[in-house]
Structures are given as structure tokens and as C-alpha cells.
Amino acid sequence: MQKIPIGILGATGMVGQQFVRLLTNHPWFDITVLAASEASKNKTYAKAAAGRWFWESEIPTTVRDIQIMDAVADQVEIAKKVRLVFSAISLEKEATKALESAYARLGVAVVSNNSAHRSTPDVPMIIPEINADHAALIDAQRKQRGWTTGLIAVKPNCSLQSYVPALQPLREFGLEDVVVSTYQALSGAGKTIDSWPEMQDNVIPFISGEEEKSEQEPMKIWGEIKDGIIRPANLPKISAQCIRVPVSHGHLATVRVRFKQKPTLEMIKTAWKNWQNPVAELNLPSSPTQFLEYFEEDNRPQTRLDRDRDRGMGISIGRLSADPIFDCRFVCLSHNLVRGAAGGAVLMAELLTKKGYIL
């Protein structure tokens, strides 16, 4: 297939850089535009990222000399060069919504890492292995908004992408109540231990907006399309606490669950083991070989050991046991910048391409 020309909005930030790394030499997508703020305009990507490149690997040679465009001021020109943009732009919420809508009106498919449109009823929020069917909402979105090739689709918050996949196979037992605590890496805030000295030898038990997102966004993921919008699910009830810990990458979650029909621990393990990835047959380039993996060892999953499993796209689970108040408890782990951010967005774009929404 001929590669689809794509752009990255917010290409100099941490998530934008991860998009660059994942999309360099992608078999379906070709990086044509790198865009950021006005301050970076007309600089080469190498110069704009100098001193703020977060990775041990070098800036890919194929993008070093691309001149940065202004994601806001140059949107009409950018739209002429690309058919898809990945949005990791750092703006206020309303400004982000307006910018992403503007690109879609110009005929560009927008796949966003941002939170601005996650609560917009006709914008699908997709984890491909869980709710790929929500891509069908794009038909209604285009009809309602008068778009033809433009679209907006978003990925959910990184905080919930460790435990929602683990809960998905357990829905057959009737999920009723979920209590989750997430222990979230510095890169989730776009920081490193060097740039955030307050985090050294410290834990901060507050991340603005994360708990609300962790409780509400799964309801949209598990919702249903009706009358051209997503109707959120009512169950399970989720109570979340989100905590920042001095770890570079990887969000770990502890989960307690109460079921309508209580399964045995072996039934839960079997559900995880036998769960079939419903989009595996699409052969999406970024799809993990094994989406869910359960570790029998008492001390797994561990952030440093397991966050990169399956190129950072796999979900690791462990420590399943009975709970004296709830029915069971377990631990989950995901890579927040890969599965939780850029990688999840790339996988969603591959899904939308395969389904014919991005041409």
C-alpha cells in the first residue's frame, strides 16, 4: 500500500517525540509534517529538540532536517500536506478542541492523545482490543458535522490503560464495584527526575484530574452507540486514587473487584488466559503478540522489568488473590508513553485505516 502522509502536532514534547520514534519507518504512515508552537517554527527538528530530547537513542535521521511548522497558524498549509495528524499539542482544553476540530473540518483525520474531546459524545474513545466497534461512530460524526474525510478520534487517559484491559475479560462475571489505585510515572506529566527535583525520594498523592478520568472514561469505553453518540455504561462503579511516584516510565495499578456472580480465582485466570484479542486478525503493525499476560511470580509484574513487554504495548497482570472485603484483588502494569499514549494512538490509527476511515 502507498504510505499515508501524516503530521505530528506537538512534535517536540515528550509524547510528540514518542510519536516520532514509533512512526519513523512505519509500514503504513509517512512522517511528512512536524508541527509545534510558534517558538519552534522554521527550525529543523534536530535544532528544536536540542537539549530536550528525552531518549538515549539519537533523533532519527529521517526527521532531523524537517522544518517545524506552526500547528496553529499553519493549519491550512499543513492540511494540504497530510491526511492524518496525531495530536499531542499542549494548549488549554478549549483551544485544543477548537484546533482539532479545525483540522477535521479541513478534511484531516485527527487521532488525539489529548483529553479535550474525550467527553465529546460523538467522538469515539478507543482501545482497539476492547471497543473497536466504536469506530462506527465516525459515520455519524461526519454526517452530523458535515465532514467527508475529516474525523476526530481519541485514546483514553494513560491512567486507566493498565486496569481496564485486565477488567475486560472479567465483564462476563458481572463487574459491579472496582477500587483502583494507580502509581504513575514521571513521564506521565512530561517530566524526568532531573527536571522535577521535588519528586526525588518522594511520592505525591495527587494528580490533577486523573481520578475523575480514571472513574469516568471507562464508562464511555464500555458504552454503546445510540442516536449518533456514545451512551456511557452504568456499571461497574469505579473509585480511583492516582499517585505520582519517582519512576521514569510505567503506570502500575492495584485493583479490587466485586462481581455480581463471584468467580473462583482459577476462573479469573482462565478468563485472562483464554481471552481472544478481537482485532488480532487485522494484523495491525503495532498490535502486541500477547495483549494480556498473567505472571504467577509473587513479585511480578515489576515496572522496570515488565513495562516494555511486547514493545510496550502489552498489559501485564499479577498477584491475583482473594480479598477480605471485595471478591478479589490483583496488580496490573502498562507503559504509559507507549500503550498509554503514542503507541495506543498509533494502534487506533491503524485500526481506523484498516476499517477504511483514513484513506
Side-chain angles (χ1 to χ4, degrees):
M1 63 179 285
Q2 186 175 4
K3 286 191 176 185
I4 295 171
I6 65 101
I8 301 169
L9 311 181
T12 57
M14 185 177 283
V15 174
Q17 291 178 18
Q18 184 72 307
F19 273 121
V20 169
R21 298 175 74 220
L22 293 176
L23 290 163
T24 297
N25 299 320
H26 190 280
W28 295 2
F29 305 134
D30 180 44
I31 299 175
T32 303
V33 169
L34 297 175
S37 67
E38 182 183 10
S40 297
K41 183 175 180 177
N42 294 328
K43 294 179 181 178
T44 64
Y45 187 66
K47 184 174 181 180
R52 53 185 302 193
W53 184 251
F54 294 101
W55 317 100
E56 292 182 3
S57 59
E58 297 290 329
I59 297 173
T61 56
T62 53
V63 301
R64 288 183 61 87
D65 296 327
I66 293 179
Q67 284 197 325
I68 301 291
M69 301 182 73
D70 187 327
V72 177
D74 297 336
Q75 58 189 260
V76 174
E77 185 178 352
I78 292 171
K80 294 177 181 177
K81 296 176 179 287
V82 303
R83 299 204 297 276
L84 162 67
V85 293
F86 292 94
S87 178
I89 197 75
S90 181
L91 298 171
E92 294 296 325
K93 181 176 180 178
E94 291 305 314
T96 300
K97 289 180 73 173
L99 184 65
E100 292 178 351
S101 296
Y103 275 97
R105 281 195 301 272
L106 290 167
V108 177
V110 179
V111 172
S112 181
N113 183 69
N114 292 307
S115 64
H117 274 293
R118 288 182 194 153
S119 60
T120 304
D122 68 346
V123 171
M125 179 167 60
I126 297 174
I127 298 176
E129 295 91 343
I130 295 177
N131 63 332
D133 60 307
H134 282 195
L137 185 62
I138 293 170
D139 295 320
Q141 181 191 97
R142 285 172 167 170
K143 183 177 180 180
Q144 290 162 179
R145 296 172 181 244
W147 299 342
T148 52
T149 56
L151 65 89
I152 302 174
V154 298
K155 50 150 288 299
N157 194 53
C158 57
S159 64
L160 58 88
Q161 296 196 59
S162 55
Y163 61 89
V164 168
L167 291 172
Q168 176 68 13
L170 309 185
R171 295 181 70 203
E172 65 175 293
F173 306 120
L175 297 174
E176 290 198 326
D177 299 305
V178 176
V179 173
V180 60
S181 294
T182 59
Y183 301 86
Q184 301 185 205
L186 303 178
S187 57
K191 304 284 188 178
T192 65
I193 198 69
D194 293 330
S195 65
W196 199 356
E198 296 92 335
M199 282 302 304
Q200 295 186 27
D201 192 30
N202 197 20
V203 169
I204 297 178
F206 174 72
I207 307 173
S208 181
E210 290 290 287
E211 288 160 2
E212 294 82 358
K213 295 171 186 174
S214 298
E215 293 168 352
Q216 296 168 13
E217 290 185 13
M219 299 301 97
K220 185 173 183 178
I221 293 168
W222 286 322
E224 62 177 351
I225 300 174
K226 189 174 182 179
D227 300 326
I229 62 172
I230 295 291
R231 305 286 184 181
N234 295 319
L235 290 174
K237 295 179 181 178
I238 299 177
S239 174
Q241 283 193 308
C242 299
I243 299 168
R244 189 72 70 190
V245 295
V247 168
S248 59
H249 309 301
H251 288 356
L252 185 137
T254 61
V255 187
R256 286 169 167 80
V257 182
R258 182 180 289 117
F259 299 95
K260 184 177 181 180
Q261 300 172 334
K262 182 179 177 180
T264 66
L265 299 185
E266 284 306 313
M267 289 170 68
I268 292 173
K269 289 183 182 180
T270 298
W272 284 329
K273 181 179 180 180
N274 293 343
W275 190 74
Q276 298 296 313
N277 179 353
V279 298
E281 62 185 20
L282 298 180
N283 296 315
L284 305 178
S286 299
S287 188
T289 302
Q290 185 175 359
F291 182 43
L292 304 176
E293 180 174 357
Y294 182 80
F295 289 85
E296 292 288 353
E297 298 93 330
D298 289 338
N299 63 349
R300 303 282 290 277
Q302 292 183 29
T303 301
R304 191 167 63 185
L305 291 180
D306 301 311
R307 63 192 171 200
D308 293 318
R309 191 181 67 77
D310 233 326
R311 298 168 296 154
M313 292 296 287
I315 308 299
S316 301
I317 311 168
R319 300 212 59 211
L320 175 67
S321 65
D323 187 84
I325 298 175
F326 289 78
D327 291 333
C328 73
R329 61 192 178 203
F330 52 89
V331 174
C332 316
L333 174 71
S334 64
H335 195 303
N336 58 295
L337 284 186
V338 187
R339 166 57 70 170
V346 172
L347 182 63
M348 178 170 54
E350 293 168 357
L351 171 72
L352 298 180
T353 299
K354 195 76 169 183
K355 287 182 172 289
Y357 290 106
I358 301 173
L359 302 172

